[in-house]
Amino acid sequence: MSTSSDEGTRTTSSTTNEKRYKGIRCRRWGKWVSEIRVPGSQERLWLGTYSTPEGAAMAHDVACYSLRGGVSLHKLNFPSMLPPTARTDLSPRSIQKAASDAGMAMDARFITSRENASNNEALNVSVDDYL
């Protein structure tokens, strides 16, 4: 998602996140999606739609590890955060479920974190702000 202007090309935040995290992309309406190619075939596994780029990236990590094993650790977005559900002996359907569960958990964590941050900002208002 690059936009052109008279000064040159500028990058939007969704492009920055797409380059920061592997295996994700942003839909035009702002949701983040993830899918992965199954090794040795042209088949793709749909991993889901997420509210945050971090959620989509975590889903990609779980699927990547489950499909490729330990050799994929250097290619993951969050290698130290792999959940115990990320195993290499799962069927494609089980990989989708494990990836979706991990992505949704990451989404919830980031959304809660944002809400708490905005609530803390609201609580930091003093009487002096209104005088």
Side-chain angles (χ1 to χ4, degrees), residues 37-43 67-68:
R37 190 176 297 269
V38 177
S41 77
Q42 299 219 350
E43 180 186 355
L67 289 168
R68 295 179 176 93

Side-chain angles (χ1 to χ4, degrees), residues 1-58:
M1 264 194 197
S2 293
T3 57
S4 294
S5 66
D6 293 331
E7 297 88 35
T9 303
R10 64 185 174 96
T11 305
T12 62
S13 64
S14 63
T15 302
T16 303
N17 283 327
E18 285 181 61
K19 289 181 180 178
R20 185 171 63 171
Y21 298 124
K22 298 173 191 155
I24 69 170
R25 66 181 186 276
C26 186
R27 297 276 195 205
R28 285 183 306 225
W29 49 90
K31 294 289 185 176
W32 295 88
V33 298
S34 182
E35 66 182 336
I36 192 168
R37 190 176 297 269
V38 177
S41 77
Q42 299 219 350
E43 180 186 355
R44 291 176 185 247
L45 280 181
W46 179 253
L47 304 176
T49 303
Y50 303 91
S51 297
T52 65
E54 293 82 7
M58 177 55 78

